[in-house]
Amino acid sequence: MNIHDKKSLILVDNISKYYGSFKALDSVRFTVKAGERVAVAGPSGSGKSSLLNSLAGIIHPEKGQVLVDGNDLAKLQSRKEMCRLVGIIHQQYDLVPQLPVIHNVLAGNLGRWGLFNSLLSLVWPRDRRQVQDILGELGIADKIDDLTSKLSGGEQQRVAIARMMIQSPQLVLADEPVASLDPARAEEGLKLITDLTIDSNKTLVITLHSPHLISAYCSRVIGLREGKLIFDLPTSEVDEHYFHQLYDIGH
């Protein structure tokens, strides 16, 4: 694959990231085409979260560059443009538990609205019909005015997904979004996330540990270990041997 392929939505060009003397990412290099569903796997401390935060523009590498739709994220100044390009679902969902569901969903519009309209929406929520429709698609329309703190873990995940649907970025990032859910809820939640990206023609990069979930819901897997890219393959070509190597199982 040509690292400078113009059809690629994401270009990660030889990036390294340090925290003091610790190298979290070590010369990582790959591209992702629009519409792909890519899993990032690896043990704790392998650099998965650092990679996702680099793709989200939250942190910037000391070496190399990250481009999304041709934009160097380290140089992008417009919050509105950043929100159009990239959205992220963290493991803890980043919801405000003291606020009703509608406000947490509408937080996906903050990058477009600006401070004044965002504050105004806390008093008079805008786009209620749109929020109601999205929550309806996710099966929790009746929760629109409930306090987010009163929801189950699975329901909170759906609120985070609804917030992402409102934002509608080109690239959806998800950092171990099903880690806190039981196996049945994890599969259900992952299906919601992948269906969202397929239906809206978004690109998904997601960190996961489970080989079963990776093979069922992603078309490609990138393996990281100690900040280095160990493999980058279609999921159909990745068997147990690769995961044993990645997680050092049996050694």
Side-chain angles (χ1 to χ4, degrees), residues 111-122:
R112 286 198 295 270
W113 282 353
L115 181 60
F116 176 76
N117 285 327
S118 298
L119 291 173
L120 190 63
S121 185
L122 287 173

Side-chain angles (χ1 to χ4, degrees), residues 57 81 95 97 104 106 114 125 127 136 148 153 197 208 217 224 232:
E81 182 65 8
L95 302 174
N104 274 295
L106 288 173
D127 301 337
T148 305
T197 57
L208 290 169
Y217 294 100
L224 289 180
D232 178 0

Side-chain angles (χ1 to χ4, degrees), residues 54-83:
S54 298
L55 290 173
I58 296 170
I59 62 174
H60 302 303
E62 280 77 25
K63 174 187 173 186
Q65 61 180 351
V66 178
L67 274 64
V68 177
D69 197 26
N71 297 275
D72 185 339
L73 297 188
K75 298 176 181 177
L76 194 61
Q77 300 295 318
S78 168
R79 178 172 169 79
K80 184 175 182 179
E81 182 65 8
M82 180 65 80
C83 289

